[in-house]
Amino acid sequence: MAAPRVTSGLQRVLLMLKNVHFKLGYRIVASRKQYSTVYDPNEKTFEKILIANRGEIACRIIKTCKKMGIKTVAVHSDVDSNAVHVKMADEAVCVGPAPTSKSYLNMDAIMEAIRKTRAEAVHPGYGFLSENKEFAKRLAAEGVTFIGPDTHAIQAMGDKIESKLIAKNAKVNTIPGFDGVVKDTDQAISIAREIGYPVMIKASAGGGGKGMRIAWNDEETREGFRFSSQEAASSFGDDRLLIEKFIDNPRHIEIQVLADKHGNALWLNERECSIQRRNQKVIEEAPSTFLDPNTRKQMGEQAVSLAKAVQYSSAGTVEFLVDSQRNFYFLEMNTRLQVEHPITECITGLDLVQEMIRIAKGYKLHQKQADIPIKGWAVESRVYAEDPYKSFGLPSIGRLSQYIEPLNLTNVRVDSGIKEGSDISIYYDPMISKLVTYGSTRAEALQRMVEALDSYVIRGVTHNISLLRDILIHPRFVKGDISTKFLPEVYPDGFKGHQLSDNGRRELLATAACLYVALQLRSRRFIGNQRVSTSHKEQNRWELSLKLDKDTHAVTVFSTGSLFTVELDGKRLNVTSEWNLASALLPVTIDGTQRTMQCLSRDASGNVSLQYLGTVFKIQVLNRKAADLNKHMPEKVPEDSGSILRSPMPGSVVAVSVKPGDMVSEGQEICVIEAMKMQNSMTAARTAKVKTVHCKAGDTVAEGDILIELGMD
Amino acid sequence: YDMQTFVYPSSKHRQMRGLSPGQTTTYTYSLCKSQRWYAVSHLSVQERIDKKREAARLGGGQARIEAQHKRGKLTARERVELLLDPDTFVEYDMFVEHRCSDFGMDSAQNKYPGDSVVTGQGRINGRLVYVFSQDFTVFGGSLSGAHAQKICKIMDQAVLVGAPVIGLNDSGGARIQEGVESLAGYADIFLRNVLVSGVVPQISLIMGPCAGGAVYSPALTDFTFMVKDTSYLFITGPDVVKSVTNEDVTQEELGGAKTHTAVSGVAHRAFENDVEALLNLREFFNFLPLSNKDPAPVMECHDPSDRLVPGLDTVVPFESTKAYDMLDIIHGIADERDFFEIMPNYAKNIVVGFARMNGRTIGIVGNQPKVASGCLDINSSVKGARFVRFCDAFNIPIITFVDVPGFLPGTAQEYGGIIRHGAKLLFAFAEATVPKITIITRKAYGGAYDVMSSKHLRGDVNYAWPSAEVAVMGAKGAVQIIFRGKENQAEAEAEYVETFANPFPAAVRGFVDDIIQPSSTRMRICRDLEVLVNKCQTNPWKKHANIPL
């Protein structure tokens, strides 16, 4: 059909009008303003695409397919049969039970689904089969298009050593180092000295930061060599080691590339992904505060030359480590759509999924490098169902009893694959959504992100909004002074929630007190003739006592209509709100400052949980009389946590290494819990005899379940 | 004699006099000029009044008050103050004393004005309530003839004006020195508990010991709440148990809050301590109408009545054998997700409690698929029946969520009389004339379908979700009977599922009024309640029905 063409502004408008006429239904929904590229409906494309993925990325891909008029097929596991991506797709095929190895990684079942639905192409999303060359081969064998690079590129970039060699040859900066079989310790040391300390040692075959060891001297090199060579042999059956320059305080900055099958390749600017925990990205932004145009250009050109070197087609990402002097070194290339691709879409206006589909169909890129802008600033927060208080995030599960995305705010994009009522299960990645905000400046994008996080309602699972929001307002982050070590440096003792300033504490307490008063006033408002005493004047002065952590605060509230004046710590605050007690959000204005809080729970005993500045605070509000009498109430003895071992997260028990009657010593491993591919060793808090064992290998446990009870010594 | 002006010194004094706090009260004795002699003696009477009042307020004295506090308990008066709106308590019978003269009881130091109970009326969130609060500091809160008489007085008045009665129980039992007088007192209270039952709500909060015959008063009231660790209810204490049955049991195990809320089902809920219990009681009180002549209360409500609940569309799992939590549905539809559950730890296969829809109090009954597949057994039937009857007695509409695979089979249930007990729930739903709305969320099998507020038992509005299956039994069992001996059981099962495992058989017969999208459930219930608000239905005249007890 019509060849791709560059349209003038007027033509674009006409084209859009035409589109609206064509398929009014979703075009308006789908054409949210983040994409400026216009889809040409006359360009022939695939009839039907199968999306071999789940969750938000499956939904994201389906959205673009709908925009392009392509029919979609979802695959799903049995537990996902009600999932959003299944509902969104035109067709859905169940490919197996919940475990990913039996469903989303089950190539036989997915191939069968492709045959059954006659899908012409497969988009693999990220993760699962996206970088699996075997899968790509099988698709090719059946004449089904794989929406991604060809197997050669997947294979070349999938191998750490090979990719580095190719990069070197393509004149891409690589980290000085050695890769190959290291004979013995002495050779390891001489290599390390040649590179210059510090060096990093790891097995070539190991992915990401797994099994990575850092040596600052000969002694540590010796030790690192011993561990890594053992691991290389035992875990991967591949003796090769990687010894390279270790970059202190590095930033993780990556370049998005887009290449077609005709030898054209573009770089779509960078994404700054330095905020990480356990080598997983937490907050990303585009562009980076750190790159100057020159560095950006150099990085972009090197990324493109690498892509060209492997005849790359489709979207891909070249990851670099950047040191404080803006020296950058090639890390690896991801041959797939990245999780954080939306921020690139925001600043360039391109729809990367649409481009991937076009490229897979064999079209040339519309754009030239000069057409790629950096417009504004975009930030992405990865909202996870996890408890950020436990090592910056241990998975949590549950049913989303309430879920409202902050889409009422402008320039907010939420990529999610769940909705109210969805279950976050132990089987899959605990990501709830990618929250993306966009602004003409970085400050604007960050401010919007803070507002969006405050207005994001997620109930039923523990989430990491407290951590995300606290990072966003941290002075170092605001300045752009970040590195991949940001989290451990800023929170050396782990994240413990937002630390209240005096003013913050006053705002929080004042709001809690006013909420209590609003509730008390409402509880007298019976409608109709309810025989309520009329002789009693409505109370307008409230003497309260608020308990936050261990401290008690005397607070007086004067109420006139919806305006409350609060006296505490010798200060007066004016608090106004609609006091809508059914709304999930609690917007208040405190002395002119607007805050969006959330009341997560409240009970008759005066306990309220308020989400303030992202963090949930528990406050007990009592009237002065009840607080006075509360002094006589007995302290309930909390359970002896040293004797009871509880599961810190939902997961399955991999191994139990003790039985009742065994003696265990402090710190000894008692059992291992696995959740979301992470194994956690549970240890004894003290030396004691095992009293009862409540779990066995293979059991599924919920967070807080008792695993093992210890007796007295 | 000079003109004297008396200003009552504290707000407490004013309050005792039944004067509002804002009123400046001056008592001008010159008004009694013509009866000067009276005024003179009045002064000394006034002194006596003040003294008596002061003594009454102190109860058993400072030492005993401190002992009470040490036990983690509040005094009778502190409890009343916390329960009621500030400055609304009007006390009765502060001067009543016991009349026993045996065992030296008539000595001055054994007389306490008001005796071992504080009684009166006041307001909770502006609404009238009668209260008695037993005073453990006076003879261990033991029940004398006078004590009982005080309680009976407020109960009688509560019925006259139509207001609930709340009892705060903290009593060692009968006043042994008074013998049969004390027993007569108990019986007087029991009789009133029974006569008042169904006229005004009666609530008992057990805040200390409550043993022997005394337990029957709470047992006769509508709701019994307990305070954890400090309250006990039993017929006979651990010592007697040991001597009679040789069982070793602690007070807590025998009659503590945990026992009664989880094992015996005697208590409806337990709270952490006195303060929390009283604050929760205030909240609970707001759900109740004042009497059987008052409609269910309607509170100001901020939750839109037409709110859709998208989460409900996915709450019922695809596999009909998989469990889900009925509370997810209840929280989803209730105003502000607020649900006051009754007996949350007992017979957990049925969920009952109060919520509001568009501000109006409703009673919710729901099978709980998470526990024992939500089947009906002896305990859950009795739990459900009592709750339904309370709602019916006090004009509270009943919303029933049905996911019931049937009655629990087995010798334990049959020997225990499941037929008799199951019939109670059936009886309760059938005789209820308040608005009844039923939603079948999934299974409604066998006789249990009939029982759970079905159309046939005068359900006003009966809905089915698309996941509903109304049938005599599940596919497996049915196929074994209908297709006995047939080779291809799997095919037969599929046929049965196709025919019955859906809402159509019930819908085509009009046994459900509509098949609805789950997310619209709240909106529809709110609308239906508005329609049914003037529902008027009466049962045939009878002295009383004969529920199979």
Side-chain angles (χ1 to χ4, degrees), chain A residues 125-306:
Chain A
Y126 54 74
F128 295 137
L129 299 170
S130 62
E131 288 169 293
N132 187 313
K133 53 182 191 277
E134 180 62 27
F135 182 59
K137 268 184 201 153
R138 286 182 69 170
L139 290 175
E142 304 216 5
V144 178
T145 309
F146 178 76
I147 302 175
D150 61 23
T151 41
H152 162 74
I154 297 178
Q155 181 161 2
M157 293 294 109
D159 185 292
K160 292 258 142 39
I161 293 176
E162 200 189 333
S163 67
K164 236 177 129 177
L165 282 173
I166 297 172
K168 246 184 204 162
N169 293 338
K171 304 256 176 335
V172 176
N173 298 356
T174 51
I175 301 171
F178 172 90
D179 35 47
V181 179
V182 180
K183 268 206 318 281
D184 53 19
T185 319
D186 289 342
Q187 195 196 346
I189 290 173
S190 75
I191 293 167
R193 284 184 182 163
E194 198 179 307
I195 296 167
Y197 286 112
V199 297
M200 178 210 65
I201 307 170
K202 72 173 184 179
S204 299
K210 252 176 217 161
M212 185 174 97
R213 282 173 188 82
I214 290 141
W216 295 80
N217 52 45
D218 292 356
E219 186 48 43
E220 287 174 8
T221 307
R222 203 166 283 135
E223 203 176 308
F225 169 72
R226 196 159 50 81
F227 276 115
S228 298
S229 54
Q230 269 170 17
E231 191 179 57
S234 64
S235 304
F236 306 108
D238 182 343
D239 288 339
R240 289 176 305 164
L241 287 188
L242 196 61
I243 303 178
E244 58 182 31
K245 175 93 180 166
F246 173 69
I247 294 150
D248 201 16
N249 269 335
R251 285 169 179 260
H252 177 124
I253 298 177
E254 59 191 27
I255 300 286
Q256 175 74 53
V257 294
L258 198 57
D260 64 20
K261 293 180 175 173
H262 306 276
N264 304 310
L266 303 170
W267 48 275
L268 307 183
N269 302 315
E270 77 281 11
R271 292 187 290 257
E272 162 75 78
C273 310
S274 296
I275 305 292
Q276 302 186 347
R277 53 121 168 93
R278 297 195 303 268
N279 291 310
Q280 273 185 302
K281 294 158 192 165
V282 180
I283 292 176
E284 300 103 342
E285 60 183 308
S288 166
T289 53
F290 193 57
L291 294 193
D292 50 55
N294 190 34
T295 316
R296 176 176 298 125
K297 186 155 180 269
Q298 280 182 41
M299 288 171 77
E301 282 168 356
Q302 290 195 8
V304 162
S305 81
L306 176 62

Side-chain angles (χ1 to χ4, degrees), chain A residues 399 401-402 420-421 522-527 531 533 579-582 602 604-605 625 632-633 636, chain B residues 69 72 81 125-127 161-162 229 272-274 276 279-280 286 294 298-300 302 311 328 336-337:
Chain A
R399 182 174 184 273
S401 53
Q402 270 179 295
E420 190 168 305
R522 200 264 302 256
S523 64
R524 292 181 60 108
R525 289 190 199 129
F526 292 90
I527 293 167
R531 299 173 54 196
S533 166
W579 304 115
N580 180 328
L581 301 170
R602 54 178 199 243
S605 311
K625 184 182 285 166
H632 301 302
M633 296 298 101
K636 302 270 162 155
Chain B
H69 285 160
E81 269 186 82
N125 288 313
R127 297 196 308 156
V161 303
D229 303 326
E272 284 306 319
N273 56 46
D274 279 16
E276 286 199 9
L279 294 177
N280 276 278
N286 261 13
D294 292 288
V298 184
M299 306 247 3
E300 180 185 292
H302 301 166
D328 286 339
E336 298 173 21
R337 307 180 63 78

Side-chain angles (χ1 to χ4, degrees), chain A residues 78-79 81-82 87 399-402 419-422 516 519-520 522-533 536 539 578-583 602-607 620 622-623 625-626 629-630 632-634 636, chain B residues 69 72-74 78 81-82 85-86 88 123 125-128 161-162 228-229 272-276 279-280 282-283 286 290-291 294-303 309-312 314-316 318 322 328 336-337:
Chain A
D78 56 3
V79 293
S81 40
N82 253 332
K87 296 271 149 93
R399 182 174 184 273
L400 286 168
S401 53
Q402 270 179 295
K419 59 178 186 222
E420 190 168 305
S422 293
Y516 172 88
L519 279 162
Q520 290 293 313
R522 200 264 302 256
S523 64
R524 292 181 60 108
R525 289 190 199 129
F526 292 90
I527 293 167
N529 175 22
Q530 298 293 339
R531 299 173 54 196
V532 182
S533 166
H536 207 77
Q539 193 173 343
E578 274 181 43
W579 304 115
N580 180 328
L581 301 170
S583 166
R602 54 178 199 243
D603 66 20
S605 311
N607 299 304
Q620 191 182 26
L622 291 173
N623 64 49
K625 184 182 285 166
L629 294 175
N630 214 23
H632 301 302
M633 296 298 101
K636 302 270 162 155
Chain B
H69 285 160
K73 303 197 305 184
L74 299 180
E78 288 166 344
E81 269 186 82
L82 260 191
D85 296 344
T88 60
R123 303 271 167 176
N125 288 313
R127 297 196 308 156
L128 185 62
V161 303
K228 286 180 194 168
D229 303 326
E272 284 306 319
N273 56 46
D274 279 16
V275 172
E276 286 199 9
L279 294 177
N280 276 278
R282 283 177 63 84
E283 174 128 325
N286 261 13
L290 294 183
S291 76
D294 292 288
V298 184
M299 306 247 3
E300 180 185 292
C301 170
H302 301 166
D303 203 353
V309 192
L312 296 190
T314 52
V315 72
V316 177
F318 259 38
K322 226 172 138 190
D328 286 339
E336 298 173 21
R337 307 180 63 78

Side-chain angles (χ1 to χ4, degrees), chain A residues 42 68 70 100 132 178 351 358 377 381 436 491 496 519 529 537 551 583:
Chain A
N42 295 320
M68 297 174 74
I70 301 169
T100 52
N132 187 313
F178 172 90
D351 178 341
R358 286 190 66 252
W377 211 283
S381 294
V436 180
Y491 307 103
K496 298 197 159 47
L519 279 162
N529 175 22
K537 261 200 351 213
D551 303 323
S583 166

